[in-house]
Amino acid sequence: MTTQGNDKSTAKNFPAGEGPSASGTSHAKRGPSIADVARAAGVSAQTVSRVSNGHSNVEDGTRIKVQDAMRRLGYRPNGAARALKSGQFKSIGVIMFTLSSHGNMKTLDAIARAASDSGYSISLIPMPDPASSKFPAAYNRLREQQVDGVIIVFDAHLTDRADIILPEDLPTVVIDSKPDRGYIMVDTDQGGGAQQATEHLLSLGHANVWHIGGPRASFSASHRADAWRRTLNTAGVTPPEVIYGDWSTESGYQAGLELGSRPEVTAIFAANDHMALGAMRALHELGRKIPRDVSVVGFDDLDEASSFWPPLSTVHQSFRTVGRLGLELLLTQIAGGQAPDSNWVPTRLVVRESTSAPSTPGG
């Protein structure tokens, strides 16, 4: 997906060295053409066009030959002469490993809007299979498309692996990760939000809080589960075993069936609103009233959360702020400025009708 920023150029504007001269006659020396590159590389003009436009259907050996010919001849595809004059291509690359999640799509929308507001376009590379061998290829594709910087939206512990190294030749911001990895990071204060949710339930008088966690590989899920566990330990409460879901309503429903069948369970903190909704459905089916018998807190504050029955208490996080801040920090780097390594966007607890004191004190 490529979304274009605000480009106010017209047909009368020409990159330096291209188009008619002021006298109406072109006296400028012709730069190398696609045909010149094709002859130098021993390939077809169509192959050169594919390489210059970042298409993936070109063998690596052929791509390298074409790129070498481009460098030797000084060929700059896609109007790069104008970019060279300004020093920028006005394009941002985005690599995402999960497109299906609510949070990632909201974040991507915010990045795209902020880029457009700043006169940039974005080039998106989705990577549903985040194998380490594919990660450098994604960076190379963005280089070919001549981006000024890259935003990576991680939702898995990829940077814990020794074979995942972020290249240093492009300004980069990572969203949904962990600090102290040597790159600029932006994320919601996942831990702070989970702590607020857990403390809220304990303050109502619940003896313990059960947790429906997100996928084990997810940074967000890990941050929330760790904070939930720390909060219980601080309160002198032994954390029960986490029931892991996959962010889906169905996984929350299955977890809700398991937890709802246990009378000692009076408070549930779900790692996102979708799983909270599934758990609430299971509790309704089991005849356990919300919040009289079981209180439920989610995380995200979906637009629909206030329309759940009962309306869901949840942790609000601003995906819009995360996306816009990520783009702002990237543009700061592109301009040669310094940006802080770790950047946290605050969360806040939104209390609605799905939580209350337990019907039995200390329950």
Side-chain angles (χ1 to χ4, degrees):
M1 180 187 81
T2 301
T3 61
Q4 296 299 326
N6 297 326
D7 185 357
K8 298 182 179 180
S9 63
T10 70
K12 294 183 180 179
N13 292 331
F14 297 92
E18 296 182 15
S21 65
S23 64
T25 303
S26 179
H27 297 293
K29 181 179 178 181
R30 181 181 67 86
S33 66
I34 283 182
D36 295 329
V37 175
R39 280 192 295 271
V43 299
S44 68
Q46 184 179 27
T47 298
V48 175
S49 178
R50 287 173 179 163
V51 172
S52 66
N53 286 296
H55 294 172
S56 59
N57 56 339
V58 180
E59 293 182 358
D60 289 343
T62 301
R63 186 186 304 278
I64 291 172
K65 285 198 304 182
V66 172
Q67 290 170 342
D68 286 343
M70 287 178 176
R71 282 191 288 270
R72 290 199 313 270
L73 297 176
Y75 176 75
R76 298 289 180 177
N78 297 330
R82 182 171 54 199
L84 286 175
K85 185 177 180 180
S86 67
Q88 295 181 2
F89 297 104
K90 306 299 287 185
S91 179
I92 298 299
V94 179
I95 300 175
M96 297 190 74
F97 293 88
T98 304
L99 287 174
S100 59
S101 75
H102 169 81
N104 282 0
M105 292 308 297
K106 286 282 192 179
T107 301
L108 176 60
D109 179 68
I111 293 170
R113 290 174 182 271
S116 179
D117 291 345
S118 299
Y120 280 74
S121 64
I122 69 167
S123 295
L124 171 66
I125 296 185
M127 292 187 63
D129 176 18
S132 61
S133 61
K134 295 182 180 294
F135 187 77
Y139 248 91
N140 288 335
R141 285 176 61 189
L142 289 175
R143 285 194 189 93
E144 292 164 9
Q145 295 176 32
Q146 300 173 321
V147 299
D148 297 307
V150 180
I151 295 177
I152 307 173
V153 184
F154 279 115
D155 194 35
H157 295 282
L158 296 178
T159 52
D160 285 341
R161 297 170 49 177
D163 54 352
I164 295 293
I165 300 175
L166 301 183
E168 298 179 356
D169 58 341
L170 275 177
T172 300
V173 169
V174 178
I175 291 176
D176 194 6
S177 181
K178 72 177 186 179
D180 303 324
R181 301 297 296 183
Y183 48 76
I184 307 301
M185 182 278 300
V186 180
D187 195 11
T188 298
D189 183 8
Q190 312 282 352
Q195 178 180 339
Q196 292 176 68
T198 308
E199 288 178 343
H200 170 62
L201 291 167
L202 292 175
S203 70
L204 291 172
H206 294 278
N208 210 330
V209 178
W210 278 256
H211 184 48
I212 303 175
R216 295 175 186 267
S218 166
F219 274 119
S220 298
S222 295
H223 292 323
R224 297 171 199 181
D226 289 346
W228 158 81
R229 192 175 290 109
R230 283 196 306 272
T231 305
L232 290 180
N233 284 327
T234 299
V237 177
T238 301
E241 184 177 351
V242 177
I243 299 179
Y244 290 96
D246 60 6
W247 300 129
S248 70
T249 304
E250 177 60 26
S251 68
Y253 173 72
Q254 295 299 327
L257 289 176
E258 179 178 343
L259 293 175
S261 64
R262 298 160 57 181
E264 71 272 20
V265 175
T266 65
I268 296 173
F269 165 44
N272 78 338
D273 288 353
H274 286 108
M275 293 192 297
L277 176 60
M280 291 169 72
R281 174 194 163 196
L283 293 171
H284 287 312
E285 291 182 359
L286 293 171
R288 302 200 68 183
K289 302 296 184 182
I290 305 170
R292 188 192 69 186
D293 300 326
V294 183
S295 289
V296 180
V297 177
F299 202 112
D300 283 342
D301 195 19
L302 297 174
D303 294 340
E304 300 83 2
S306 61
S307 297
F308 290 3
W309 187 252
L312 180 65
S313 294
T314 184
V315 176
H316 177 85
Q317 60 172 333
S318 176
F319 300 109
R320 178 180 177 83
T321 301
V322 168
R324 294 191 69 89
L325 178 58
L327 192 281
E328 176 184 320
L329 293 171
L330 186 63
L331 295 184
T332 296
Q333 292 182 75
I334 291 171
Q338 295 293 321
D341 290 342
S342 299
N343 302 271
W344 302 103
V345 176
T347 54
R348 59 182 172 84
L349 180 68
V350 180
V351 178
R352 299 191 179 102
E353 287 81 2
S354 67
T355 54
S356 72
S359 57
T360 301

